[in-house]
Amino acid sequence: VEEGEAAPNLKRKVRAPRPSMGHVVPKAAKASTKGGGGSKNPTLRPQGKARDAGMNNPSMLKILGGSARGRRLDSPEVYLRPMMGKVREAVFSTFTSFGLYDEGVNTRHLDVFSGSGSVGLESLSRGSSHCTFVDFSRDCCNTVERNAKWCQFDKEGQIRVVCADYLQALRDPTSVGIPPGTTYEIVTLTPPYEEVVYADLIDGVSNSPLVTDDTVVLIEYPVELGCLPHVITRKDGGALVGVRNRRYGRTVIAIYVVNPTGRMEVAASRPEQFVDV
């Protein structure tokens, strides 16, 4: 692979099936009638299909730390696979160690593939001054707005909800309502694994006008994809340098810093973590 060219594994959609998780079950799954609890004929629905009105929130998401700690979050009417609580806790422990939530630090967060908003709302709870949420689903965007209000993150300018394609938002942010010149200190991308081409996602975020020197970029990906590269070259000659790449079961979290200046001493380059997953 030549410098600046995406590896072959990143250019195709990944096949990353997951076992049933509560409400997320394959179409062909059969209901078990063993035992005495529950319905003998439960309705089984695959991820992405709408829930019937009146069903309880299946994800049981809640804010894990900060000012809104313990607040439970509503879920949209489509099925999602939100970031697991243990992963979210580890991620925000890392962000905190980078000094992103220190007193006096103005951290702005861009939460792409926001779903219910759990990642961006967690960031606001821990001290971010603003979060922009991007999701293609109107249902998800409406859910983010409800959850933000419930968590009392409804001050003017505290959140922005953008219902748009993620690549359009990253490549042409003004076209989706993000003001010109806007940049973020944190960008998190937690896509549905099988619905994106990671080469496009990486190109979109690495060359986005929304990132700047020392922007921290998180990319969630499945182990089936193989390891992401340690250094991602930008079209302007800059680079995203990998500082964390950790596996949690079959989920991998890669964290990069854009054009690192050395200001975040804890966020040092760790090439040894980008060898294998």
Side-chain angles (χ1 to χ4, degrees), residues 1-2 4-12 198-199 202 225 227-229:
V1 180
E2 295 182 4
E5 182 181 351
N9 63 309
L10 303 179
K11 294 181 179 179
R12 61 179 183 270
Y198 272 84
I202 290 169
L225 187 68
C227 194
L228 290 190

Side-chain angles (χ1 to χ4, degrees), residues 163-242:
C163 191
D165 174 73
Y166 80 95
L167 280 177
Q168 182 181 358
L170 289 172
R171 292 171 173 168
D172 189 12
T174 57
S175 72
V176 300
I178 298 176
T182 298
T183 58
Y184 297 89
E185 283 68 45
I186 302 174
V187 178
T188 50
L189 302 111
T190 55
Y193 301 150
E194 297 184 332
E195 297 178 24
V196 299
V197 174
Y198 272 84
D200 295 338
L201 184 151
I202 290 169
D203 176 78
V205 69
S206 61
N207 297 296
S208 175
L210 299 175
V211 303
T212 187
D213 292 355
D214 288 329
T215 294
V216 175
V217 175
L218 176 149
I219 302 174
E220 179 181 333
Y221 67 101
V223 293
E224 291 87 346
L225 187 68
C227 194
L228 290 190
H230 170 235
V231 176
I232 299 170
T233 304
R234 289 163 47 98
K235 292 177 181 177
D236 64 3
L240 279 68
V241 178

Side-chain angles (χ1 to χ4, degrees), residues 258-275:
V258 180
N259 298 336
T261 65
R263 178 178 60 83
M264 294 184 291
E265 294 181 4
V266 177
S269 173
R270 295 193 178 180
E272 71 279 2
Q273 293 191 6
F274 289 81
V275 175

Side-chain angles (χ1 to χ4, degrees), residues 20-33:
S20 301
M21 291 177 56
H23 62 286
V24 184
V25 295
K27 288 182 178 180
K30 295 181 179 180
S32 172
T33 56

